[in-house]
Every structure is written in C-alpha cells, then in structure tokens.
Amino acid sequence: MNSTAVKDLAAEALFVSYLQPSESPNRSAVEEAITAMILRYGSDGCAAGVAEEFGDHPEVAVRRMEWVQEELIDVLRMRAPALR
C-alpha cells in the first residue's frame, strides 16, 4: 500500500470515527480512533461511511473532512522521521 493510500484510509477512518472537533482530541486519541475504525469497518467500510455522509449531508461532511485533514497533518508531522 503506498503512502497516499495509507493517508486516504486514515482520513476515511477518522472521518467515520466517534471523535468530534469540539473535543480537541490529542494525537494519541486520533491514532486510536483511526486504528479502531479500520479494525471495525475495514477500508471498504470506512470509504462507504464517508460516501454515505457526503450523499446525505454534504455541507456537514465537507466541514468534517476539513477537520480530518487538519488533524492528519498534525499526526503525520509528528510521525515524520527527523532529517539530519
């Protein structure tokens, strides 16, 4: 699986998770939610959940995906190897 596919799966998993932006979750909570949703729904289930929300509530889904992308930037920045 390439890094773009991994990022997309993480975004979909966080999107369908129980976490809310109002909770201001820390990095650990975000990582745990991503893992839990992948284990629970798999990649296809996460993607289906995102598609359903965009179909049913597009204006809310757009705002949630924007939050998801911001959270993932922070998580991925913390995971990036230090350059020497």
Side-chain angles (χ1 to χ4, degrees):
M1 193 177 264
N2 66 39
S3 64
T4 301
V6 171
K7 289 177 190 174
D8 290 346
L9 176 56
E12 292 164 351
L14 182 55
F15 184 94
V16 299
S17 77
Y18 53 85
L19 288 181
Q20 297 299 316
S22 60
E23 296 177 86
S24 299
N26 62 26
R27 184 183 66 148
S28 179
V30 169
E31 290 174 346
E32 288 174 16
I34 290 169
T35 300
M37 294 301 100
I38 292 170
L39 292 173
R40 183 172 187 177
Y41 298 115
S43 61
D44 290 345
C46 290
V50 171
E52 183 177 347
E53 280 303 305
F54 270 93
D56 292 346
H57 311 285
E59 60 289 332
V60 175
V62 167
R63 288 193 309 271
R64 182 157 179 89
M65 188 55 80
E66 288 170 349
W67 170 75
V68 163
Q69 295 300 321
E70 290 171 13
E71 289 297 318
L72 288 180
I73 288 169
D74 290 341
V75 168
L76 295 173
R77 184 179 318 122
M78 298 296 282
R79 289 197 165 267
L83 298 176
R84 296 179 192 239

